[in-house]
Amino acid sequence: MTSSSPRRTKSAPPPALPEPPKADDFESRMLAKLSSNSRRTVEILRRVKGVYVACGRDAALRNKLDLFLEHILSYNGTRRDDGRIFFITGESGAGKSTIVRQLIAETPVLQPERRLYGLVSPIVSVSLTGPCTLNTLGEKILEKAGYPIVQKIGPSQLWMSLPERLGHREIMLVHIDETQNMLKKTRQNKDRKDLANALKGAMNDQDWPISFIMSGLPLTTDLARLDEQFERRGFFQELPDIDMENESERKLVLKIIKDMTSAADIKCDDVLKTDIPDRVAHAANYRYGRTTQVVLATIHDAVRHNASSLHRNHFASAYLAHSNAQGHDEMNPFLADDWRTLPPGSFIFESEEE
């Protein structure tokens, strides 16, 4: 008897999407329990967190996404061409998740549309917050697409049915964030190849090819080395660190401070004329995302002290709250005169080995 490959059975039409739940009053109830000063602080921080400062990397990433989408939507005869894969990488704190989320929200072709059975979107996003298996990844994608997992099935069958099910939802693109967590789990080369084969199978589906955006640490591009098709069909964009020697990038740090403090109705002109922006970048390890976090923590400190202008002590105090520099002013980049000699990033004590 000769063996044959498993036959893919037709999946059922998609279940009706539930209406979005009505807004819960949970946040309102929690805020009501805070003091008036804390409520004021929360409202200001919400405004500040809503600030997004665009920069040159946004334009570069948008241009690359346009190329990516043009390939996806180019038909080969009567069907879309095979799927593509877009790697967006950067070190921890580079702001990958934020910039991809912002990019998706601002791209017209990726916006959701209303259908008879509910709201559908051409893209779904999943985030791998911890080690993840191939089966778990497939389940996460299906759940985001509106298919509740009621029965466990093996990864082969799950991934074989994935394109058809996503096709029912008109989903052509899957964004996987923090992809390195998948690679950490699949350290053996065979497991990594299983992941590559599963993605490739979805990309090559004859009826509904799926494309992928994979964001994560630089090691995410290891996937492209496993298969020639990934390299050939891949798009790659790395988010670099901030270079304070570059005048345009230094101006970016100034703009981050200015725009975020403006949202809090706090002045920052005095600190912008000093070396504080350079110290901010150093404390943030020259990463875009961490820079915004340093500024946010500083504004938080200033708001709690009812300050109308930012001063160096606000930056120093905020740094203390997020590091082990308490009692070690020489390790605080906002207090130390020779701050350039300090290791970039937050100061955390290393634990002593037993």
Side-chain angles (χ1 to χ4, degrees), residues 49-96:
K49 288 181 176 181
V51 172
Y52 181 79
V53 181
C55 58
R57 67 181 194 162
D58 294 70
L61 190 56
R62 178 166 299 284
N63 180 65
K64 192 67 69 72
L65 179 65
D66 287 344
L67 292 173
F68 178 66
L69 291 173
E70 287 164 5
H71 273 277
I72 291 175
L73 296 173
S74 296
Y75 275 69
N76 180 9
T78 59
R79 67 181 287 273
R80 280 187 290 112
D81 202 357
D82 291 338
R84 299 294 192 271
I85 188 165
F86 188 4
F87 295 95
I88 301 173
T89 59
E91 298 292 349
S92 177
K96 300 177 293 294

Side-chain angles (χ1 to χ4, degrees), residues 41-53 98 253 255-264 266 280 284 287-304 310 314-315 317-319 321-322 334:
T41 299
V42 169
E43 290 302 323
I44 292 174
L45 291 181
R46 283 179 173 177
R47 296 202 304 267
V48 176
K49 288 181 176 181
V51 172
Y52 181 79
V53 181
T98 300
V253 176
K255 184 170 175 55
I256 290 173
I257 298 173
K258 187 173 183 179
D259 288 2
M260 292 181 71
T261 53
S262 176
I266 294 177
V280 167
R287 308 273 164 74
Y288 178 97
R290 288 192 184 180
T291 297
T292 62
Q293 292 169 1
V294 170
V295 176
L296 176 66
T298 302
I299 293 173
H300 193 174
D301 185 83
V303 170
R304 287 182 62 96
L310 282 190
H314 296 132
F315 289 91
S317 178
Y319 186 83
H322 296 276
F334 298 104

Side-chain angles (χ1 to χ4, degrees), residues 274-291:
T274 69
D275 66 351
I276 288 295
D278 302 272
R279 294 174 184 248
V280 167
H282 192 81
N285 202 12
Y286 300 96
R287 308 273 164 74
Y288 178 97
R290 288 192 184 180
T291 297

